[in-house]
Amino acid sequence: GIQVEQSPPDLILQEGANSTLRCNFSDSVNNLQWFHQNPWGQLINLFYIPSGTKQNGRLSATTVATERYSLLYISSSQTTDSGVYFCAGTDSWGKFQFGAGTQVVVTP
Amino acid sequence: ETGVTQSPTHLIKTRGQQVTLRCSSQSGHNTVSWYQQALGQGPQFIFQYYREEENGRGNFPPRFSGLQFPNYSSELNVNALELDDSALYLCASSLPSRDTFYNEQFFGPGTRLTVL
């Protein structure tokens, strides 16, 4: 299967700071998604972004499918942004593969 | 519109036992996938069901099996439980579009299984 690499693995931010999370795929994927996992384990859909750029409030994402990577931007971070962020996509064998996640901690 | 639901929320079993986890897909979604998430790791794809047929499987042994029913709800069955099966089990549903089979997935809250 494909490899999904997320960076950085951990990120500590002060409230109000901006950050960029990256997701690299070893091969092309379909239906790339970004999720935020809350402390109770619920995966919350942030973006469905097979290609292009989308924005939702303080969050935005860009996927460059031809270069097999995606970026998630968090602007003016808040303590409620803390948690684990995952990217995932479907490989050519039909398996929806996740990265290991980025643990984000936003301090007041 | 009802989201993805899973039951039970938590479950404790002992080694060697069998367990059944349940998932109701989001209204109108005919594809269900199951994932295992060990502590500190990303979810791992177990298998996917589309219109009651298995439609893809990850690297899990045959003791992990599933079913999808005509109403698109699904079950995950695990036989001969091992300690390493302790994990959060997530279910997701999606609706293939006309242009692509693979579409946005929506996840349930998960079932936390502990094997003692």
Side-chain angles (χ1 to χ4, degrees):
Chain A
I2 62 168
Q3 305 302 311
V4 183
E5 185 180 313
Q6 288 190 243
S7 59
D10 299 281
L11 191 58
I12 300 176
L13 300 168
Q14 197 149 18
E15 207 167 21
N18 302 327
S19 63
T20 301
L21 281 59
R22 186 178 178 103
C23 178
N24 290 331
F25 291 86
S26 61
D27 204 345
S28 58
V29 294
N30 293 296
N31 68 317
L32 194 148
Q33 289 185 242
W34 282 95
F35 301 92
H36 179 211
Q37 190 166 42
N38 68 20
W40 298 270
Q42 174 80 57
L43 282 170
I44 299 164
N45 288 34
L46 297 177
F47 292 101
Y48 174 69
I49 187 164
S51 63
T53 297
K54 290 186 177 180
Q55 180 153 10
N56 184 4
R58 297 181 296 102
L59 301 181
S60 64
T62 296
T63 295
V64 183
T66 53
E67 297 187 20
R68 304 194 298 269
Y69 74 88
S70 184
L71 303 172
L72 177 70
Y73 306 97
I74 306 175
S75 64
S76 304
S77 57
Q78 300 177 0
T79 55
T80 52
D81 294 331
S82 296
V84 184
Y85 290 79
F86 290 103
C87 63
T90 303
D91 64 20
S92 54
W93 293 272
K95 300 177 186 177
F96 195 59
Q97 305 276 39
F98 281 80
T102 293
Q103 175 81 59
V104 173
V105 175
V106 182
T107 61
Chain B
E1 185 178 274
T2 307
V4 180
T5 60
Q6 293 186 242
S7 63
T9 306
H10 294 86
L11 202 52
I12 299 175
K13 292 284 188 178
T14 56
R15 268 188 308 176
Q17 284 189 312
Q18 178 266 343
V19 69
T20 297
L21 310 182
R22 294 179 174 82
C23 171
S24 290
S25 60
Q26 185 164 315
S27 178
H29 287 188
N30 58 12
T31 302
V32 173
S33 304
W34 285 92
Y35 301 82
Q36 180 195 67
Q37 186 178 20
L39 201 61
Q41 298 181 21
Q44 299 292 313
F45 174 76
I46 302 175
F47 43 54
Q48 180 184 75
Y49 278 83
Y50 171 63
R51 293 184 175 179
E52 303 176 57
E53 298 281 334
E54 188 178 291
N55 183 49
R57 189 179 182 92
N59 297 326
F60 282 82
R63 59 189 185 85
F64 285 78
S65 63
L67 282 174
Q68 187 181 29
F69 301 99
N71 66 355
Y72 304 133
S73 66
S74 178
E75 286 182 355
L76 165 66
N77 298 290
V78 187
N79 294 322
L81 284 167
E82 302 176 358
L83 296 179
D84 284 349
D85 295 333
S86 294
L88 178 68
Y89 288 85
L90 295 162
C91 163
S93 74
S94 62
L95 179 64
S97 70
R98 184 175 178 174
D99 298 324
T100 173
F101 181 81
Y102 303 110
N103 211 338
E104 186 174 8
Q105 298 208 37
F106 296 87
F107 282 78
T111 293
R112 196 164 295 277
L113 172 65
T114 301
V115 182
L116 302 176

